Amino acid sequence: MDALQEQFYTIEDIYGLPDGERAELVDGQIYYMAPPRTRHQRLVMFISRKIANYIDEQKGLCEVLPAPFAVFLNKDDLNYFEPDISVICDRDKLDEKGCNGAPDWVVEIVSPGSNKMDYVIKTYKYMDAGVREYWIVDPEKNKITVHDFTGDNINEYTCQSQVPSLVLEGFKIDFTDLQEW
């Protein structure tokens, strides 16, 4: 009897998906993504706008890029991510296809069905790849979990908090400014 062989996929398979179908690739396994809901997109826009405005005001060198945006986390063909928000301060990592290597800061908005991916799989993959700061924004739980991978710290905040960034010195987002969680 033949042993079952596990199927591995590559970035080529991701680019071969039908138009409109989105997925991420983790260690050769494809994880399909449902279209984001309105609340999810409002949070992406709110956070992206706050970060981008601060970078512009400070005349900073970092760039904020919302999904869909390709992150080739490990510079291999078995891992491909589309973080909800990526902040990249080393512009040498950017090309026309996306980010080659770890962004400095990643924000993921938890959606129905993405709990395990956001809280477990991506936490490990982002930490291992060298992401410095990782926010998990969970609208169902009204909380923001901030991982500081440089200091190995985890802080939790509520939707009524001002959440500071580690990557952008002096920056914080006041989530009470958000009209609707």
Side-chain angles (χ1 to χ4, degrees), residues 36-37 40 84 109-115 118 137 139:
R37 295 181 176 185
H40 179 279
D84 289 319
I109 314 298
V110 178
S111 298
S114 75
N115 280 335
D118 294 334
V137 179

Side-chain angles (χ1 to χ4, degrees), residues 126-142:
Y126 292 154
M127 179 181 64
D128 193 48
V131 170
R132 294 167 42 204
E133 181 173 1
Y134 175 40
W135 288 18
I136 303 169
V137 179
D138 193 330
E140 292 299 317
K141 296 179 181 175
N142 290 321

Side-chain angles (χ1 to χ4, degrees), residues 8-180:
F8 282 93
Y9 298 92
T10 66
I11 291 171
E12 188 175 312
D13 295 305
I14 294 292
Y15 281 111
L17 292 173
D19 284 346
E21 191 159 351
R22 291 180 55 216
E24 293 180 307
L25 185 66
V26 182
D27 297 329
Q29 298 303 302
I30 291 179
Y31 293 85
Y32 293 94
M33 297 186 291
R37 295 181 176 185
T38 302
R39 177 167 62 174
H40 179 279
Q41 291 305 93
R42 283 184 180 135
L43 280 163
V44 168
M45 288 301 300
F46 173 79
I47 296 167
S48 295
R49 188 171 39 248
K50 294 283 189 180
I51 297 170
N53 288 345
Y54 183 80
I55 292 170
D56 288 346
E57 289 166 7
Q58 300 299 310
K59 300 193 183 341
L61 299 176
C62 300
E63 190 165 348
V64 58
L65 295 158
F69 177 72
V71 172
F72 307 98
L73 202 55
N74 298 334
K75 299 183 185 178
D76 61 25
D77 68 344
L78 298 176
N79 289 280
Y80 168 94
F81 292 84
E82 287 188 8
D84 289 319
I85 301 168
S86 299
V87 178
I88 299 105
C89 299
D90 179 358
R91 294 201 177 205
D92 289 339
K93 291 182 179 181
L94 296 172
D95 64 22
E96 286 305 308
K97 287 188 175 182
C99 180
N100 297 290
D104 293 274
W105 177 12
V106 170
V107 178
E108 295 284 4
I109 314 298
V110 178
S111 298
S114 75
N115 280 335
K116 181 181 178 188
M117 180 64 88
D118 294 334
Y119 279 104
V120 180
I121 295 170
K122 288 185 177 181
T123 299
Y124 170 75
K125 295 302 283 185
Y126 292 154
M127 179 181 64
D128 193 48
V131 170
R132 294 167 42 204
E133 181 173 1
Y134 175 40
W135 288 18
I136 303 169
V137 179
D138 193 330
E140 292 299 317
K141 296 179 181 175
N142 290 321
K143 76 174 186 176
I144 301 100
T145 304
V146 176
H147 292 268
D148 168 8
F149 293 135
T150 62
D152 200 27
N153 295 315
I154 301 172
N155 292 300
E156 289 195 350
Y157 301 89
T158 70
C159 64
Q160 299 298 312
S161 299
Q162 290 188 8
V163 182
S165 168
L166 309 161
V167 168
L168 300 179
E169 190 175 323
F171 173 71
K172 60 180 120 183
I173 294 179
D174 186 348
F175 279 91
T176 59
D177 289 345
L178 187 61
Q179 299 297 316
E180 186 177 325

